[in-house]
Amino acid sequence: MTIEEIRRPAKGATHGSDFSRLSRRISRAGLLDRRPGYYVLRFGVVGTLFAAGWAAFVTIGDSWLQLLVAGFLAIMFGQVALLSHDLAHRQVFRTRRPTEMAGLIVGNLGIGMSYGWWMDKHTRHHANPNHEELDPDVVPDILVWSQKQARASSGVPRFIGRRQAFLFFPLLTLEGLNLHLSGFRALFAPKLKRRGLEATLLTAHVIGYLAAVLLVLPPAKALVFIAVHQGLWGVYMGSIFAPNHKGMPMFSGAERPDFLRRQVLTSRNVRGGRFVDVALGGLNYQIEHHLFPSMPSPNLRRAQPIVRDYCAEIGVPYHETGLLASYAEALRHLHRTGAPIRQGS
């Protein structure tokens, strides 16, 4: 069976009917129900560790041991970002207002990442994952994600595209800074909601962060701390999201299969047990998450066998691999994508 045949709905099926049958099975299993106890515990644990990291920073004071604290806080910033992700998908609260308020506090104030900007970008990604024209996550701003983009590239993407597989993880050290700057740039976008509140909280984060670091550490150590903390946070964020879609099939133009195939074919699951579940915030079950984005993250593990068996039943490929193998697949894809640039075409 060709990939084109796989992408088409089953013969005689109406648009969305395959997904509707799967959705009924998931609903009957109770996997779309809220998990308030889980989120109370998770927010409590992450919040406590986040505060403990900053308390350790103040207690240790002027010491190069702060680089260990920088590494720990990089992980905690990533965990807070994952909480913001779950909030954005309405996994925590049922109603909009508490979701938005919690997202702004956690995202903007907590880690300096605009909740409104990220939610808009991520919503468009979910609607059309790996679509060259419609998914903002595969826009060729620095890296190129298809050979078509590589052939049309110029400037920075063309320069980096030659060796982008080798530069991918080094470039992720700048992702933390990019997340901050993207939030501030979004303040000038007309469609951003709650612009004043977003700006206030982002500014409060930056001032508070810099004040804390500069009050505790001398300038040289402060700069090193910031570089290590923000760099490792960027690497962690990229390591969370890179396995999800990079190296999976891409769409372009009018190519747009039905919802189930659009989500399953472009997503990759990552095996690895509870440690990977925590490290990736449940996004290692990317197929299930894309099919049911409002499903609480602890339910994704239980949904996996239902979704996997159903995909086998209707003949849709379901891809899962180990964590290191997922990075290898993504890097191989980046290397293949850059081939037209290396060949001068």
Side-chain angles (χ1 to χ4, degrees):
M1 180 178 289
T2 66
I3 189 66
E4 288 75 18
E5 290 170 333
I6 291 170
R7 286 172 172 176
R8 289 196 293 266
K11 186 177 180 180
T14 60
H15 178 77
S17 62
D18 286 336
F19 175 72
S20 297
R21 287 191 288 271
L22 173 61
S23 184
R24 286 193 290 271
R25 296 184 188 185
I26 291 293
S27 183
R28 284 197 298 267
L31 298 177
L32 298 177
D33 297 342
R34 291 292 192 275
R35 295 286 299 273
Y38 164 83
Y39 278 109
V40 167
L41 178 61
R42 183 173 165 190
F43 270 82
V45 170
V46 172
T48 299
L49 292 174
F50 185 83
W54 284 113
F57 174 78
V58 173
T59 301
I60 292 172
D62 183 3
S63 169
W64 287 111
L65 288 175
Q66 294 286 18
L67 298 186
L68 296 176
V69 178
F72 177 77
L73 284 174
I75 295 172
M76 297 320 303
F77 266 50
Q79 287 292 315
V80 171
L82 287 168
L83 288 176
S84 181
H85 170 271
D86 285 13
L87 284 164
H89 281 297
R90 301 280 185 92
Q91 296 177 18
V92 182
F93 300 107
R94 291 184 181 277
T95 56
R96 180 177 178 178
R97 185 170 179 80
T99 295
E100 285 188 348
M101 291 300 101
L104 288 166
I105 292 171
V106 168
N108 292 51
L109 184 61
I111 59 175
M113 183 180 75
S114 169
Y115 175 77
W117 161 77
W118 185 86
M119 184 174 179
D120 172 71
K121 177 177 179 286
H122 196 62
T123 299
R124 288 185 285 123
H125 157 71
H126 265 263
N128 293 284
N130 275 15
H131 192 289
E132 292 187 39
E133 291 83 39
L134 301 176
D135 182 357
D137 286 355
V138 293
V139 171
D141 50 357
I142 294 180
L143 303 176
V144 291
W145 303 104
S146 73
Q147 293 195 350
K148 176 183 175 183
Q149 291 179 349
R151 293 186 184 97
S153 65
S154 61
V156 174
R158 190 165 188 86
F159 176 76
I160 291 179
R162 298 175 184 276
R163 297 288 182 268
Q164 62 181 12
F166 301 98
L167 295 173
F168 179 71
F169 280 103
L171 284 171
L172 287 180
T173 60
L174 301 175
E175 180 60 17
L177 178 62
N178 178 56
L179 291 172
H180 295 311
L181 293 177
S182 295
F184 279 101
R185 284 198 299 267
L187 296 175
F188 299 96
K191 61 182 178 181
L192 183 71
K193 301 176 182 178
R194 303 185 184 277
R195 189 188 318 275
L197 183 56
E198 289 250 6
T200 300
L201 293 176
L202 284 175
T203 303
H205 169 84
V206 172
I207 293 174
Y209 178 89
L210 292 177
V213 173
L214 292 171
L215 284 172
V216 171
L217 297 176
K221 286 180 182 173
L223 287 174
V224 174
F225 176 90
I226 292 171
V228 171
H229 174 226
Q230 297 294 324
L232 291 179
W233 178 43
V235 171
Y236 183 32
M237 290 293 287
S239 299
I240 290 172
F241 289 95
N244 300 342
H245 303 281
K246 308 312 179 191
M248 298 302 291
M250 301 275 291
F251 300 124
S252 64
E255 189 178 19
R256 200 167 182 267
D258 68 284
F259 177 79
L260 184 142
R261 286 161 179 80
R262 190 160 73 245
Q263 305 301 334
V264 175
L265 292 172
T266 60
S267 302
R268 175 195 293 110
N269 274 20
V270 178
R271 296 187 295 264
R274 296 293 183 181
F275 172 78
V276 172
D277 287 2
V278 172
L280 302 189
L283 296 183
N284 44 313
Y285 303 105
Q286 189 68 195
I287 295 172
E288 289 71 28
H289 170 62
H290 259 255
L291 288 169
F292 303 98
S294 64
M295 179 184 291
S297 57
N299 290 352
L300 295 170
R301 170 184 281 269
R302 295 167 54 201
Q304 184 190 26
I306 299 175
V307 173
R308 185 174 53 206
D309 291 349
Y310 183 75
C311 286
E313 180 182 320
I314 64 174
V316 173
Y318 180 103
H319 185 51
E320 57 181 334
T321 187
L323 182 61
L324 295 180
S326 73
Y327 295 138
E329 289 181 9
L331 293 176
R332 282 195 297 268
H333 170 75
L334 286 171
H335 189 65
R336 287 194 302 270
T337 297
I341 302 176
R342 293 191 299 273
Q343 295 164 1
S345 60

